[in-house]
Amino acid sequence: MRLKSFFKYNPVTDQYERVYPTRRERIMASSRQYLVGAVIGIGVFAAAYFIFDFPRERQLKADKEALTSQLSILEQRADDALKVMEQIAERDNNFYRVMMQSEPMTAAQRYAGLERQRNYEQLSNLSESELVKNVTGRLDCLDQMIVMQIKSYDKLQQLIMSSQDRIDHIPAIQPVAENKLRAMASGYGYRTDPIYGTQKLHEGMDFSAPIGTEVYATGNGTVVKADWDGSYGNLITIDHGYNYTTRYAHLSEILVKNGQRVKRGDLIGRIGNTGKSTGPHLHYEVRLNGAPQNPVNYYFLDLTPEQYEAMIHQAENAGHVMD
């Protein structure tokens, strides 16, 4: 390659004289050329990068979107699983309180070593690393809940082994068969009296069913009352021991006697419309140490989880008191 020659006009001699650049000037000239070329090249590459999608880049973007979507689905599944475990834990606690009369596992014991996160930012605002962190944290929480629930069931098994008589006596089924019910008329809680129109505590649950429908003892015990009792109409009261009693009111027939021992599931009477009643139904109460309890906590042995959930929903929303 021929090197370029440079000439400069000399007014003294009135001639063009050849110029011989120094080494430094040659290096600077070459550097400028390379620098201009590099700038142009970088500009062209940047324009192509931001304007055009190369096949590999398109694939990477698609993979990223798929990963984000999968993480979002996993996060939702983790949330759903945590909700299920919370429901199991609540029913577990009720079983301790109601059936075993024992202190349930505390929240500190269930979630020891974990800080539970309740509020989360929108998934669309999270980076992949934050999504992974969130999902991992919830799965860790779920693992902890499962471990503690297993320990709780182990403790329950030990309690049941040593407390079978208590289990047999505590009320634990519906007093009316599920397939005989027309509807849940009213649950436990403050309701409007159908006759006097005042707000008062409805101390039991009303089961609407045809007159003559069978009524069953909900736990082993001794009948302490089987007679007429004012606004209750025909009433049966069973003492189950362990400070529990149950009441069955507005009966059309009483099929047991005072002092009679009964077992869970024994037929004791039939639904009626006696006493202060606005229609055929059974008013059922559970009392512990004389204080009324919410009967929905006492249907462990004859309802499936789905039926139990439906019963709770009906009891909370049914407001038509029939007595």
Side-chain angles (χ1 to χ4, degrees), residues 69-84:
S69 176
Q70 291 172 2
L71 284 170
S72 298
I73 294 172
L74 285 175
E75 187 168 32
Q76 184 60 53
R77 290 180 62 185
D79 282 343
D80 292 342
L82 284 171
K83 290 177 182 177
V84 171

Side-chain angles (χ1 to χ4, degrees), residues 255-267:
L255 304 178
V256 290
K257 302 176 182 178
N258 285 344
Q260 180 176 337
R261 296 185 63 81
V262 295
K263 291 185 178 181
R264 180 181 292 130
D266 284 352
L267 178 64

